[in-house]
Amino acid sequence: MSLLSQIRKASTQAARRRVVITGSGAVTPLGNNVSESWQRLLAGESAITNLGAEFKGLPCQVAAQIPKERLQIDKHLSKTDIKLMSPATQLAIIAADEALAAAKLKPSELSEEQRERFGVCVGMGMFDLAEVYGAFQQLQRGYNRVSPYFVPRLLPNMACGHISMRHGLQGPNHSVSTACATGAHAIGDALRFIRNGDADLMLAGSGEACIDPLSIAGFCRLRALSTTFNDNPAVASRPFDKARDGFVMGEGAAVLLLEELEHARARGATILAEILGYGLSGDAHHITSPSDNGAGATLAMKRAIADAEVAVQDISYVNAHATSTPTGDRIEAHAIGRVFGDHLDKVLVSSTKGAHGHLLGSSGNLEALFVVHACAENLLPPSINVDQLDVDVNVVTKSCKWSEDQSAQRIALKNSFGFGGTNASLCISSYTEK
């Protein structure tokens, strides 16, 4: 390390603010809230079902959808809200509301100065193509048939905008759209906003709702989706299993409340976990496929570990991006092996996508939320549908206790990778006094 790098590191360490998680909210295929989703995940259940008649003729006939009759969106939002917001934004709003309630924080009771230091970093991987198709159909009937809310409903930053307006939050208002790495990048960027002193609190995450015939057709043309298990949807998503043949699309939203440690302590908040580090990288290889050597994933993990200022030997769990594609899971497993080396046999790995599918831009944040609760409860979520493991990592196939020592610090990595070669890794730990 050069002298200049050492000086910069020392300066950063001296002023670095610690960032903790004090609230979480989620709407997922598994449940309408965090508790329902977490319990079904630990139980090894699958929320993947068959698609409806409008998807007839497509090679993939399965997805992880949120049943409308279960969610009952009109109980959460007004008719005006529903008209103004895309489905993904609606889900993000509900998740953000739950995160605030879980943190016992009411923005309306904060001072103006406090709300000026309370930001939002919520992204979206891709908008619902059905919105575009529907608007085009209306245009054929006449210009005046196109909704004036058509463009605002499409914009990826509107979840951020609506959350900030709903709660009067005037801190950083930042939206991320990095394909399937969106949610993890949103959390990592929010971490840096607080560390850098731009905010004391941040709502961070993503929402995604784009399961429509055109999207399914597009991913089928890429040969990215599972097509072998249409008659048995519950086993279609099977990360790390030899029979995996593609990912299963999911939908949902997850939002975490990030808070500067002293701010959280001052208000007596319950601390669920701490975010220690954040690493990013680019593959510089291909629009959809990672390089065979997994260089981008390796760099992201190493950078997260370095940013966290922990040793490889301190980490005992990796929540993998593994989407159930033949190539992607294998390359990520090899990258994990390169990062951990001789310590690999002491690291447990799982991907929860077998239970809830791949939420695209909302996958990294949902899975980070599960890591947060794993840290808080000392329980590891499983990879389900693993009948024949074909990767050289220790995969958790049933929920289990993370550490025999409840008081020990538990440190994990959460990986998230996206089309275009964009990679993110978060280092998350149980909270300990230092």
Side-chain angles (χ1 to χ4, degrees), residues 197-376:
D198 298 312
D200 296 322
L201 304 104
M202 293 289 301
L203 284 167
S206 179
E208 199 90 323
C210 54
I211 299 176
D212 59 75
L214 190 54
S215 293
I216 295 288
F219 281 113
C220 281
R221 291 291 291 155
L222 281 172
R223 300 190 178 186
L225 298 183
S226 173
T227 59
T228 303
F229 302 95
N230 288 337
D231 294 332
N232 192 5
V235 302
S237 182
R238 43 199 315 117
F240 300 126
D241 182 72
K242 187 175 182 179
R244 66 188 184 275
D245 72 322
F247 72 79
V248 174
M249 281 184 68
E251 62 184 357
V255 173
L256 295 173
L257 179 63
L258 279 63
E259 192 165 354
E260 192 273 326
L261 175 60
E262 295 308 320
H263 189 282
R265 282 174 170 166
R267 69 180 190 86
T270 298
I271 296 173
L272 299 173
E274 181 173 3
I275 304 184
L276 300 180
Y278 173 40
L280 311 85
S281 72
D283 287 339
H285 176 69
H286 187 268
I287 59 170
T288 60
S289 299
S291 58
D292 286 342
N293 63 8
T298 302
L299 280 172
M301 285 186 274
K302 285 184 174 180
R303 288 168 179 170
I305 294 168
D307 186 49
E309 299 174 356
V310 298
V312 165
Q313 293 76 17
D314 296 326
I315 297 168
S316 53
Y317 173 59
V318 176
N319 185 283
H321 177 69
T323 63
S324 189
T325 61
T327 302
D329 293 13
R330 172 180 55 80
I331 291 173
E332 183 177 8
H334 289 169
I336 291 170
R338 277 191 295 278
V339 169
F340 289 95
D342 294 340
H343 182 63
L344 182 63
D345 62 342
K346 296 179 177 62
V347 177
L348 297 173
V349 178
S350 69
S351 167
T352 60
K353 290 183 175 75
H356 52 68
H358 185 11
L359 273 64
L360 306 182
S362 202
S363 61
N365 48 310
L366 174 61
E367 293 153 19
L369 180 151
F370 290 144
V371 174
V372 165
H373 285 272
C375 287

Side-chain angles (χ1 to χ4, degrees), residues 49-130:
T49 58
N50 283 117
L51 290 165
E54 66 270 30
F55 296 86
K56 184 179 178 181
L58 297 176
C60 176
Q61 289 292 307
V62 298
Q65 296 176 283
I66 298 173
K68 292 181 180 179
E69 63 277 9
R70 187 195 78 193
L71 181 58
Q72 297 181 316
I73 196 75
D74 57 343
K75 289 189 175 182
H76 300 274
L77 299 169
S78 68
K79 289 182 179 179
T80 301
D81 289 335
I82 294 169
K83 184 185 296 185
L84 288 171
M85 302 174 187
S86 69
T89 296
Q90 294 169 23
L91 297 177
I93 289 282
I94 296 170
D97 285 353
E98 184 188 3
L100 288 169
K104 298 179 180 177
L105 191 63
K106 295 182 179 180
S108 61
E109 296 178 356
L110 299 178
S111 68
E112 182 177 356
E113 183 180 359
Q114 288 172 317
R115 289 197 301 275
E116 288 175 354
R117 296 192 55 76
F118 195 155
V120 185
C121 187
V122 174
M124 186 184 301
M126 62 181 280
F127 55 76
D128 184 3
L129 298 182

